Amino acid sequence: MVINEESEQVNLQRVGKIEAAQGPVIDVSCDYLPPLGQALDVVNTHGRYVIVVYQHLAPNLLRAIALHAVSGIYRGMPVYDRGAPLHVPVDHSCLGRMLNVFGEPLDNGESLPEKEFRNILAAPPRLDETLPPTQILETGIKVIDLLCPFVRGGKTGLFGGAGVGKTVLMMEFMHAVSSAMHGVSVFAGVGERMREGHELWHEMKDAGVLPKALLLYGQMDESPGVRFHVGYTALTYAEYLRDTLSAEVLFLMDNIFRFVQAGSEISGLLGRMPATVGYQPTLLTEVASLEERIVSTRKGAITSVQAVYVPADDMSDPAVSTVLGHLDSVVILSRQQAAKGIYPAVDPLKSNSRMMDHHVLGEKHYQVARAVREHLARYQELEDIIAMLGIEELSQEDRRIVERARRLQRYLTQPFNVVADHTGIPGVHVPLKQTIADCEAIMDGKYDQLSESDCYMSGAMPQ
């Protein structure tokens, strides 16, 4: 982008000039101090660089973080004040588009009309304006709907290490819910590989759900400032769609751990002393500033699903436990389940939801879910005995429980639409009532004559 520097100076007030540049950390010698969080422009004939004020070092010196690649920046370059924090243009025409952290198109389409702007760093709604989530959101994914139901207007986390299926499960959730909710989706790709962005774009286009979706990407090769702020940009668009369309908004983030990593990079660049396990001392505040804005109001609801990478499969990691404290539903993806060929690789005993209450779910759903957990827990207890001595050494009652638990375990697998081209198995959507009825029938012994393979990777049980 080529910019006329003279025309820029007409609209922007000069702050000062660049004193030092160390990677994305820019020190500016200034005539006055813009407030923290203010967006500044560094402009020359080659382009525009946006920097955000992070620290006041002296009465005439500030430190900022660049949101662009900094090649081409040099000492003495003039810096101009935008007069506002970082903000993005908002409009209903954002649906069906792919944008970056500044609200600029990544899909070679036209720019959004600059009629209305919103700051990406904003306060959450007041408590008296928010509504508590009280309903479950049916997804058609058997194991989730039965044992850890998603909360309509709440926050759900998909936890797992590398390669256990977080992104696939999130894409299937988008596919399953986009038509059923009659709402819109906002997807935040935080530190995503561009390959994943291409795949999601084409799959949503082929599925016909792109016109009701907005994709925002801060790519892996971009500055930590971009990867840190892109989640806020996506949330700003989600809030705008919630408030203006009065619609149900599905807000998806992949991956919130990379948001924490970007904050850690910025903290290190600014010279802050690291805290537990090397994370930034502001970890709790940064995660809360994002999570506390994901709420439902009288104007509409935001239902959030976040993929959370678990470093070394350690659930006690400070970043993981910080995110965990904000969630309504927790879906743990287990490497042991994936090794057995159980997909989705949800750990049914560790995953949970705060909606698992008979007042919310109804007595039948609650009792069936409890009984399924009891069967699977008993099977897990007996696995070592079976491996050492064989199933023949178990009592008749335990053997019956184990056989039914194995059928339940295989019944809760499911082929997904988004990977049908790779697996050759068409995806299925199973209503919650059918899942409850099938699990009850398996535990009652109706399918004792059926082989375990007949329950594997199928939809509803044969009637």
Side-chain angles (χ1 to χ4, degrees):
M1 145 173 90
V2 177
I3 294 175
N4 186 324
E5 187 175 349
E6 295 301 321
S7 67
E8 287 293 327
Q9 293 182 37
V10 174
N11 300 318
L12 302 175
Q13 180 179 357
R14 180 162 172 159
V15 176
K17 62 182 182 180
I18 292 181
E19 182 74 18
Q22 304 175 46
V25 181
I26 311 294
D27 288 352
V28 178
S29 173
C30 46
D31 305 323
Y32 67 94
L33 285 175
L36 296 178
Q38 191 86 332
L40 309 178
D41 277 349
V42 181
V43 182
N44 66 9
T45 52
H46 300 291
R48 178 205 301 260
Y49 306 87
V50 178
I51 63 178
V52 176
V53 179
Y54 263 82
Q55 291 177 336
H56 291 164
L57 302 178
N60 61 348
L61 186 66
L62 64 84
R63 179 163 288 169
I65 294 291
L67 300 188
H68 287 96
V70 291
S71 55
I73 281 184
Y74 53 86
R75 291 182 67 184
M77 284 182 74
V79 179
Y80 300 96
D81 190 349
R82 282 190 163 197
L86 190 62
H87 56 269
V88 291
V90 290
D91 189 82
H92 291 164
S93 60
C94 66
L95 291 173
R97 304 297 304 276
M98 182 188 285
L99 307 175
N100 66 8
V101 68
F102 306 107
E104 299 167 346
L106 292 174
D107 53 9
N108 294 324
E110 293 184 1
S111 299
L112 296 183
E114 297 186 352
K115 297 175 183 175
E116 184 183 349
F117 291 87
R118 285 196 176 196
N119 293 339
I120 67 168
L121 298 176
R126 296 198 315 266
L127 282 175
D128 61 347
E129 295 174 352
T130 62
L131 296 176
T134 56
Q135 293 178 292
I136 68 168
L137 178 63
E138 192 174 326
T139 65
I141 302 170
K142 293 182 285 190
V143 65
I144 287 176
D145 286 348
L146 180 70
L147 299 177
C148 45
F150 285 3
V151 182
R152 187 183 293 271
K155 297 185 276 280
T156 297
L158 307 179
F159 291 80
V164 293
K166 296 184 300 296
T167 303
V168 170
L169 188 57
M170 181 173 284
M171 288 163 59
E172 180 68 15
F173 180 64
M174 284 180 75
H175 186 278
V177 174
S178 55
S179 55
M181 282 174 62
H182 304 294
V184 294
S185 301
V186 177
F187 178 87
V190 181
E192 285 285 271
R193 303 166 187 86
M194 203 58 229
R195 168 185 61 78
E196 296 170 335
H198 279 300
E199 288 174 1
L200 183 62
W201 169 266
H202 288 297
E203 282 165 3
M204 292 183 71
K205 199 171 182 181
D206 295 342
V209 298
L210 189 58
K212 289 283 190 181
L214 167 62
L215 309 180
L216 291 109
Y217 281 94
Q219 297 171 45
M220 191 174 274
D221 64 336
E222 296 189 88
S223 109
V226 167
R227 286 180 273 121
F228 182 76
H229 285 95
V230 71
Y232 292 108
T233 299
L235 187 52
T236 301
Y237 279 104
E239 290 171 331
Y240 169 76
L241 294 170
R242 175 196 67 194
D243 296 342
T244 57
L245 295 181
S246 297
E248 187 131 23
V249 180
L250 180 61
F251 176 68
L252 304 112
M253 181 180 286
D254 188 8
N255 184 308
I256 196 170
F257 181 77
R258 295 197 193 112
F259 163 79
V260 172
Q261 278 185 314
S264 183
E265 284 182 54
I266 290 172
S267 183
L269 289 167
L270 294 174
R272 293 179 187 143
M273 184 71 72
T276 316
V277 199
Y279 285 107
Q280 62 270 41
T282 51
L283 173 64
L284 295 173
T285 308
E286 289 173 1
V287 171
S289 68
L290 185 73
E291 296 282 6
E292 292 304 304
R293 287 171 61 185
I294 305 173
V295 293
S296 301
T297 67
R298 292 177 180 83
K299 295 177 181 177
I302 297 181
T303 300
S304 168
V305 182
Q306 307 159 20
V308 187
Y309 169 70
V310 180
D313 293 336
D314 179 15
M315 288 296 293
S316 65
D317 184 87
V320 174
S321 23
T322 301
V323 174
L324 200 60
H326 291 275
L327 302 176
D328 298 299
S329 297
V330 176
V331 179
I332 308 289
L333 298 175
S334 157
R335 205 171 295 282
Q336 287 74 25
Q337 293 285 90
K340 295 175 186 174
I342 306 296
Y343 292 103
V346 175
D347 188 320
L349 301 178
K350 293 181 181 175
S351 304
N352 60 72
S353 169
R354 71 179 187 82
M355 303 301 267
M356 287 300 292
D357 185 294
H358 61 92
H359 295 296
V360 177
L361 301 180
E363 198 62 40
K364 186 169 185 182
H365 181 175
Y366 180 72
Q367 294 299 341
V368 169
R370 278 193 60 182
V372 168
R373 282 183 192 274
E374 287 168 4
H375 275 67
L376 294 173
R378 183 61 179 156
Y379 172 42
Q380 190 178 74
E381 290 172 7
L382 296 170
E383 272 187 314
D384 289 342
I385 295 173
I386 293 169
M388 289 186 293
L389 304 177
I391 196 169
E392 296 79 13
E393 297 301 315
L394 299 180
S395 67
Q396 195 68 34
E397 179 64 25
D398 280 344
R399 192 185 305 180
R400 186 163 56 246
I401 288 174
V402 165
E403 288 170 352
R404 289 174 184 174
R406 288 174 63 89
R407 288 188 183 87
L408 285 169
Q409 191 180 59
R410 281 147 184 77
Y411 170 74
L412 293 175
T413 61
Q414 189 166 342
F416 284 168
N417 288 285
V418 294
V419 291
D421 291 341
H422 303 288
T423 61
I425 308 172
V428 294
H429 178 283
V430 183
L432 175 57
K433 285 185 179 179
Q434 184 66 53
T435 302
I436 294 170
D438 287 346
C439 289
E440 190 174 36
I442 291 171
M443 291 184 293
D444 288 344
K446 183 178 176 183
Y447 296 106
D448 282 357
Q449 77 289 352
L450 217 59
S451 70
E452 292 172 9
S453 58
D454 291 332
C455 306
Y456 182 69
M457 280 293 170
S458 60
M461 296 295 285
Q463 299 302 312

